[in-house]
Amino acid sequence: MTRYQFGGTAADVAEDVAGARVPGATGTVWDGTSEGASQVTDLTDLEGGPLSELVADADGMIPAFYGPEGAVRLWMDFGGPRVALVANDVGEHLVDHLTASDPHGTLAAMMDEVTGQKGAPNGIATLEANGRITPAQLPFCFPGGYIPPDWGKNWRAKRDAAATEKARLIVVGGSFSQGFYASDINETSWVGLVRKSLQDQYGDGGSGAFTASRTGVFYSNATATPVWEANNSFATTVGSWNTGSNYYGPGGSYIVTERVGASATFKVRGTTVHIYYLVGSASATSRAPFTYTIDGGAPVTITPPVTGPWNIARTTDSGLSDELHTVKITWAGTADNTNQFVSICSVSGENSTGIVVDNLAKFGATSTYYAGLGPTELNADWNGGVSYPGDLVIYTAAPNDVSNGVSAADWAKNAAKYFSAVRAVDNGRTDLMILLPHIGKRDATAFVYHDYVTKARGLAEAYGAAFVNLWALGRSSWDYWNSLGYWGTVSNPGAAGADNIHPSDVGHAYVANTVLPLLKS
């Protein structure tokens, strides 16, 4: 049987009874948490050498190791409560299994039945020669997922060329994908972890989109917001800003001001900075000019058009160093409250080559949020559609639909509208993935999420999309994820808690480790 890999991720930390990280600590491994649990000593390092105990490194991190054959969950003990470790390479083994020509010998058996050639040395080749069936024609089905034939061809080609070109991954959905309640939305959310892993392997395309919904203007929490502002996961604002009332631009959100001295500061990384903002309005008399500075340099003045329908403009500053830049945007009108508005949608940092991961999710978003297709409904257009396309789009909008009483049929219709908009780009080249979040306790009243799952599977087949159902992979149980420390808490971002839908850092790491094998296959 296979030995699976444990440890070695950003979530694997040695902690004492007080929850403090313990550098150089020695711990033990167990097969459970009960009094009758047995200590596990059949461990090896990555070279196959025997290990009898775990020793944390100088930063208190647990190094990678292999567990006993067949074990996929173990518990480590460093003097505090025993903490569950889940094998982090199960997804890779699953992909190997799913992409194998005949992992269960079923094709050879089918050859026997269809052709009657008992004992043929190569049943698969015989079937192909007979034109009956080929492995490429078989969809990959597994508990909690479905990968259709030839899925990811465009994404893989763009990804593999990212050393000399640019490949773009776009994620849309609600707060689960925006990064709540990770300790650092940029680094420890599942999207942030996916970004880092892909960029480390295929090329660094920059930090990607930083949407206006990641500000205290949209989400103000006395505990979480200051943490995220301090680690640059949230932009900061000065003066009076309000949330936009409509869904526009990348991320489908904007912040707006008409006050002297109002400014917003974003931190993005890359050799090029893009600023997306609204121009014109049928209801406002004008748009005010604004200035932007990069790293405290000379202000650049932007004067948006003052008439016309709602639309989005982009200003670009390139030739920068590939590092974290401070982009400050300041209202430059002449007097307060004169219908001279500045509306900022997002700021993006990008390099000319590499993988760009744009997290365009927004807390509270439902499927309706991404379904607008008309010229004045710029949701789909600027979030994977013709104005802001990706090579792969991951769609995760669902939990807020359940909370808002949206039927599975309406959810599927909205998703189909969005997928149609994405597939309107470049002859339908964009690859799609439907990632259903673990619903946690969000469906504790209506009990309709299983209908969403059924509709999602149908959408996956209709649009040739990959489908991953985290609810099924989590045993359809809030309690199971809770036993693993996967649920987060707003009172201490990153730590394990009892939230009903948002993951901890460990939960986000699990999601990333589930998705990455497919993205790298």
Side-chain angles (χ1 to χ4, degrees):
M1 296 181 67
T2 302
R3 285 183 181 266
Y4 295 104
Q5 182 176 309
F6 298 81
T9 76
D12 300 319
V13 181
E15 295 181 342
D16 60 18
V17 68
R21 186 181 297 188
V22 187
T26 298
T28 51
V29 180
W30 299 79
D31 64 3
T33 58
S34 67
E35 293 184 1
S38 300
Q39 183 175 348
V40 177
T41 58
D42 182 16
L43 312 173
T44 75
D45 58 26
L46 297 187
E47 303 300 324
L51 292 175
S52 59
E53 56 191 12
L54 294 184
V55 179
D57 65 16
D59 296 315
M61 306 300 295
I62 305 302
F65 66 94
Y66 288 118
E69 291 185 350
V72 295
R73 183 163 58 151
L74 299 171
W75 284 260
M76 61 180 181
D77 186 340
F78 282 88
R82 291 179 188 172
V83 177
L85 281 178
V86 177
N88 54 44
D89 60 350
V90 171
E92 297 171 18
H93 288 284
L94 176 61
V95 169
D96 290 341
H97 177 79
L98 295 175
T99 55
S101 296
D102 192 18
H104 301 294
T106 51
L107 286 178
M110 289 173 65
M111 180 278 299
D112 287 344
E113 301 229 351
V114 174
T115 69
Q117 299 179 32
K118 303 292 184 180
N122 191 338
I124 297 172
T126 303
L127 281 172
E128 292 177 346
N130 289 342
R132 303 297 182 111
I133 189 169
T134 68
Q137 292 171 326
L138 294 176
F140 303 145
C141 305
F142 56 96
Y146 163 79
I147 312 299
D150 297 328
W151 177 82
K153 290 176 64 175
N154 172 70
W155 162 249
R156 284 192 292 272
K158 296 288 290 186
R159 176 200 69 192
D160 293 345
T164 56
E165 301 176 10
K166 187 183 294 186
R168 188 178 301 276
L169 167 62
I170 291 175
V171 179
V172 299
S175 52
F176 163 84
S177 292
Q178 190 170 26
F180 291 16
Y181 292 120
S183 59
D184 187 325
I185 290 176
N186 292 325
E187 302 293 335
T188 64
S189 69
W190 75 263
V191 177
L193 293 169
V194 164
R195 176 188 294 113
K196 184 179 187 307
S197 181
L198 290 175
Q199 290 182 343
D200 285 348
Q201 183 167 344
Y202 299 102
D204 188 347
S207 60
F210 197 136
T211 64
S213 63
R214 284 167 53 190
T215 62
V217 181
F218 268 91
Y219 183 78
S220 181
N221 178 275
T223 303
T225 301
V227 170
W228 292 333
E229 288 179 339
N231 62 33
N232 302 321
S233 292
F234 264 32
T236 57
T237 58
V238 173
S240 178
W241 290 84
N242 294 307
T243 60
S245 58
N246 296 294
Y247 306 141
Y248 291 113
S253 58
Y254 63 92
I255 54 175
V256 57
T257 187
E258 53 175 336
R259 298 294 182 88
V260 172
S263 65
T265 301
F266 296 76
K267 298 289 185 75
V268 296
R269 180 177 53 78
T271 58
T272 297
V273 168
H274 300 298
I275 301 172
Y276 294 86
Y277 57 96
L278 268 63
V279 301
S281 171
S283 59
T285 58
S286 67
R287 289 284 171 190
F290 65 89
T291 65
Y292 74 87
T293 62
I294 298 180
D295 300 330
V300 178
T301 300
I302 302 297
T303 303
V306 297
T307 59
W310 289 106
N311 213 330
I312 307 298
R314 182 181 82 175
T315 188
T316 297
D317 203 315
S318 57
L320 307 171
S321 57
D322 181 12
E323 59 184 0
L324 190 67
H325 299 291
T326 301
V327 182
K328 183 177 181 181
I329 300 167
T330 304
W331 189 79
T334 56
D336 289 343
N337 302 317
T338 55
N339 284 334
Q340 293 183 319
F341 299 97
V342 167
S343 302
I344 304 299
C345 301
S346 68
V347 178
S348 177
E350 298 183 13
N351 293 323
S352 59
T353 63
I355 303 288
V356 179
V357 178
D358 288 321
N359 189 345
L360 303 183
K362 177 189 176 297
F363 75 93
T366 65
S367 60
T368 306
Y369 188 92
Y370 296 105
L373 304 178
T376 61
E377 299 175 282
L378 303 180
N379 320 31
D381 192 15
W382 283 93
N383 292 272
V386 294
S387 296
Y388 204 108
D391 300 299
L392 170 64
V393 171
I394 301 179
Y395 183 84
T396 68
N400 292 312
D401 289 80
V402 173
S403 299
N404 285 277
V406 177
S407 70
D410 286 340
W411 173 81
K413 183 184 296 184
N414 290 333
K417 288 181 179 180
Y418 174 73
F419 296 156
S420 295
V422 171
R423 284 291 167 79
V425 179
D426 194 14
N427 295 317
R429 67 175 180 82
T430 305
D431 286 305
L432 293 168
M433 176 185 291
I434 303 170
L435 178 67
L436 282 189
H438 194 315
I439 197 62
K441 293 183 178 179
R442 280 289 178 91
D443 191 27
T445 301
F447 292 99
V448 296
Y449 204 48
H450 58 281
D451 290 331
Y452 281 54
V453 173
T454 301
K455 296 291 187 182
R457 174 59 189 273
L459 286 166
E461 295 199 26
Y463 287 92
F467 171 45
V468 178
N469 178 8
L470 291 171
W471 187 45
L473 292 175
R475 299 183 183 176
S476 308
S477 167
W478 180 92
D479 297 278
Y480 175 57
W481 265 30
N482 185 54
S483 72
L484 302 175
Y486 284 1
W487 298 120
T489 172
V490 68
S491 64
N492 186 10
D499 194 83
N500 65 9
I501 189 69
H502 303 105
S504 63
D505 278 356
V506 178
H508 277 287
Y510 170 79
V511 177
N513 288 334
T514 300
V515 172
L516 276 167
L518 299 175
L519 302 184
K520 293 183 174 184
S521 64

